[in-house]
């Protein structure tokens, strides 16, 4: 990679994990702060938005930045009226384009780092594409029946670095950086079906609640889902990230609570 490895990681494994954590929980904090009518809550949200944006850009995480944009848009669309939302999107786009043009000329600033995150990581992108293609081929070679739980990283490490570099203890591994491909490769399509059903159910409920529930609490499942999608294709250690699974459980709990409230109202 062509950038110094001085990026923020917090207490997590790498920068993608850290950016994903910031984005998914910033969405939840945003819903809490913006649901209040107190002006200082809005001021705190603006400060947090600036801090999180800075940290995500500094992490050079593409999925983290895209997830941040998606979640902030989701939250603001829920909070603001449609005309104010569109006006804010337009103003933000104009401001970003102006800053990008200035940074490209001056060759400095956060915007140039952001652009470099998308355009200056050719080796990383090529490696990621090779990993995806290898895992897909691995699934085909095993007839989509799976290679066994936890075995995909070992196959992938050998493909990247060769069998001569594989530790006999099998401790050296390389994650596929894709939650969905990893699951299919490990347990096969048959094992993936229940997981797919769960996430389709979650997607349906999150979208339904977001569109029909006027309370900001109804946006929690959708915000969590957007953050999880970003983590699922950007993190190399999603299985070990308890903070992400806790957030997913929180979103599912909100879905259950809102369904219970709806059923109680219908009975009454």
């Amino acid at each position: 990679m062509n950038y110094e490895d001085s990026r923020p990681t917090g207490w997590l494994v790498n920068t993608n994990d850290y950016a994903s954590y910031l984005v998914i929980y910033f969405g939840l904090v945003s819903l809490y702060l913006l649901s209040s009518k107190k002006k200082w809550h809005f001021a705190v949200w603006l400060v947090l938005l600036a801090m999180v944006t800075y940290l995500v850009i500094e992490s050079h995480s593409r999925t983290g930045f895209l997830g941040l944009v998606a979640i902030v848009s989701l939250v603001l669309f829920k909070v603001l009226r449609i005309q104010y939302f569109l006006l804010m999107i337009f103003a933000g786009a104009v401001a970003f384009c102006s800053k990008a043009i200035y940074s490209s000329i001056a060759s400095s600033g956060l915007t140039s780092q952001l652009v470099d995150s998308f355009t200056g990581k050719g080796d990383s992108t090529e490696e990621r594409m090779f990993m995806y293609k290898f895992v897909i081929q691995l699934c085909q070679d095993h007839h989509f029946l799976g290679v066994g739980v936890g075995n995909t990283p070992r196959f992938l490490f050998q493909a990247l670095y060769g069998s001569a570099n594989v530790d006999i203890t099998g401790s050296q591994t390389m994650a596929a950086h894709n939650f969905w491909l990893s699951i299919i490769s490990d347990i096969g399509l048959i094992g993936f079906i229940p997981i797919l059903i769960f996430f389709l159910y979650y997607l349906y409920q999150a979208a339904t609640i977001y569109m029909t529930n006027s309370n900001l609490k109804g946006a929690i499942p959708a915000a969590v889902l957007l953050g999880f999608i970003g983590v699922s294709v950007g993190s190399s250690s999603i299985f070990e990230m308890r903070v992400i699974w806790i957030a997913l459980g929180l979103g599912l709990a909100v879905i259950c609570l809102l369904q219970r409230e709806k059923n109680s109202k219908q009975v009454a």
Side-chain angles (χ1 to χ4, degrees), residues 63-91:
T63 54
F65 180 76
L66 293 176
L68 178 63
V69 172
I71 287 182
V72 170
S73 299
L74 184 84
V75 171
L76 291 180
F77 183 79
K78 193 72 173 176
V79 174
L80 303 175
R81 294 180 179 179
I82 183 63
Q83 58 268 31
Y84 293 125
F85 174 76
L86 294 176
L87 181 61
M88 180 170 289
I89 293 296
F90 176 76

Side-chain angles (χ1 to χ4, degrees), residues 104-124:
S104 64
I105 298 174
S107 299
S108 62
L110 282 177
T111 311
S112 61
Q113 295 184 30
L114 177 61
V115 173
D116 183 65
S117 298
F118 285 89
T119 61
K121 299 172 69 173
D123 293 340
S124 175

Side-chain angles (χ1 to χ4, degrees), residues 56 63-64 112 205 233 257 268:
V56 169
T63 54
S112 61
Q205 293 295 337
V233 297
L257 288 173

Side-chain angles (χ1 to χ4, degrees), residues 15-49:
T15 55
N16 283 326
D17 293 352
Y18 185 53
S20 301
Y21 163 76
L22 289 174
V23 168
I24 196 169
Y25 281 96
F26 176 69
L28 299 180
V29 173
S30 297
L31 290 170
Y32 169 74
L33 291 175
L34 295 178
S35 63
S36 173
K37 295 182 179 180
K38 298 179 180 179
K39 294 183 179 180
W40 71 271
H41 278 190
F42 181 72
V44 170
W45 179 78
L46 289 177
V47 172
L48 290 177
L49 176 61

Side-chain angles (χ1 to χ4, degrees), residues 139-191:
C139 295
Q140 294 175 348
D141 292 342
H142 289 79
H143 310 290
F144 293 95
L145 296 176
V147 298
V149 177
N151 286 323
T152 298
R154 297 181 181 179
F155 282 100
L156 190 55
F157 184 88
Q158 183 174 350
L160 286 170
Y161 302 106
S163 58
N165 296 314
V166 177
D167 188 356
I168 59 175
T169 63
S171 59
Q172 292 178 312
T173 59
M174 173 61 74
H177 291 74
N178 190 300
F179 170 76
W180 315 101
L181 286 180
S182 296
I183 292 294
I184 296 174
S185 178
D186 277 357
I187 62 179
L189 281 177
I190 296 177

